[in-house]
Amino acid sequence: IHAMSGRRALHGLCLLAVVLQLANSLTASCVPSANCTTCTAAACTFCPVTNQCVDPSSPCVADEKAGPPATNSYQCGRINPTSTFPNCTACGDSGGGNSWCPSEGKCFYSDGDGPLNHTCIASDTNGTWGMSCDVINPTSNFPNCTACSDSGGGNDWCPSEGKCFYGDNDGPLNHTCIA
């Protein structure tokens, strides 16, 4: 009986050693200095806020300029939206999760309610943030009343000026149309 319990203890120690070796190999594959593609190929998470490759169980937060954590190569193409996507079209085509801020001319990671942890200032001529370029810059994008009314972006036509402005139910934002 004594020999049997010694064998079980030895088996248990061997099993523990294998588990520890496996855990170390998983952690070792997440090389902090790896780029996003190499990191996600190793089944790790790339954290763009810290620009490091981390174990998937490690905390990593999303940021409006850096974007969300990436766990695959597709998501690697969406990180750092502020520096990666220089115009509204590129921002909108980036695969979702990003929104264009026309007042700043920058792309930010978005949570669907606007840029994450960032306020995009709306103006009468630029409009407000958008995940689609169709609703921003109403003064330059919508040259007539019909186009302005059909834009669906909260825009208002000012007949005295012959221009489309961003606004709400009360009229253009911070702009008075002369009757």
Side-chain angles (χ1 to χ4, degrees):
I1 294 179
H2 214 55
M4 186 61 110
S5 64
R7 192 179 301 164
R8 284 186 190 153
L10 184 59
H11 177 69
L13 285 174
C14 288
L15 184 60
L16 179 61
V18 168
V19 168
L20 288 173
Q21 185 178 14
L22 180 61
N24 284 338
S25 70
L26 285 174
T27 303
S29 68
C30 298
V31 178
S33 62
N35 67 32
C36 187
T37 305
T38 303
C39 177
T40 57
C44 299
T45 298
F46 186 77
C47 189
V49 171
T50 60
N51 205 32
Q52 289 192 333
C53 182
V54 297
D55 184 86
S57 63
S58 297
C60 177
V61 297
D63 174 90
E64 74 274 11
K65 292 180 183 175
T71 57
N72 59 52
S73 61
Y74 170 75
Q75 292 172 343
C76 288
R78 300 183 334 173
I79 63 171
N80 298 317
T82 302
S83 59
T84 304
F85 308 113
N87 57 53
C88 184
T89 302
C91 181
D93 291 346
S94 64
N98 294 322
S99 58
W100 185 254
C101 182
S103 62
E104 295 179 52
K106 291 183 180 177
C107 184
F108 293 100
Y109 175 66
S110 176
D111 61 4
D113 290 327
L116 185 69
N117 301 323
H118 186 83
T119 301
C120 181
I121 307 298
S123 77
D124 57 348
T125 57
N126 288 331
T128 187
W129 69 273
M131 295 176 120
S132 167
C133 299
D134 296 339
V135 296
I136 64 162
N137 298 322
T139 302
S140 59
N141 286 337
F142 308 114
N144 58 56
C145 182
T146 302
C148 182
S149 300
D150 292 345
S151 66
N155 298 318
D156 295 302
W157 183 254
C158 185
S160 63
E161 295 179 50
K163 292 182 180 178
C164 185
F165 294 100
Y166 174 72
D168 56 25
N169 292 335
D170 295 327
L173 182 70
N174 299 323
H175 186 86
T176 303
C177 287
I178 300 166

